Amino acid sequence: MTPLTAIGLGIVLFTVAGVLTDRLPIGTADGLTALGFALIAVGCMDESPLSGVVNSALAAHFAYRWWNGRDDQGGPRCRLRAGLRRFVGRRRTAPSHG
């Protein structure tokens, strides 16, 4: 077991414990789980390529759930779009008269 695999496994187990004890919101848990599975995939790619592919797919799945949000909560993508909608560009310099 490589250090990356151990760190990723620790992150995934920490996340599962946080969700089971209701101390970690689901959106945050999805992001942490995606990070953990990505580290596991990188760590075990040399030893077992099939395991690396499966963990990469799990990382992509949880990253997708984190990015898009679940249950109409919206994720980071929706919050970024909402922030950009409120932006109104204003000129802050004096106009130049040709």
Side-chain angles (χ1 to χ4, degrees):
M1 180 181 293
T2 64
L4 282 177
T5 306
I7 292 170
L9 189 60
I11 290 173
V12 170
L13 292 176
F14 166 77
T15 304
V16 168
V19 168
L20 290 177
T21 59
D22 289 332
R23 297 195 181 255
L24 200 60
I26 296 296
T28 305
D30 287 340
L32 284 172
T33 305
L35 176 66
F37 278 126
L39 289 174
I40 292 171
V42 170
C44 71
M45 193 60 80
D46 289 338
E47 299 168 5
S48 174
L50 179 63
S51 178
V53 169
V54 169
N55 284 309
S56 296
L58 286 169
H61 171 72
F62 281 107
Y64 176 82
R65 282 177 35 174
W66 169 76
W67 180 249
N68 290 314
R70 294 190 313 177
D71 302 330
D72 296 328
Q73 296 172 352
R77 181 178 61 121
C78 293
R79 289 192 296 271
L80 284 172
R81 285 186 180 176
L84 291 176
R85 273 191 296 252
R86 287 179 279 181
F87 177 75
V88 177
R90 301 249 164 93
R91 187 174 185 169
R92 295 187 178 266
T93 60
S96 61
H97 298 286

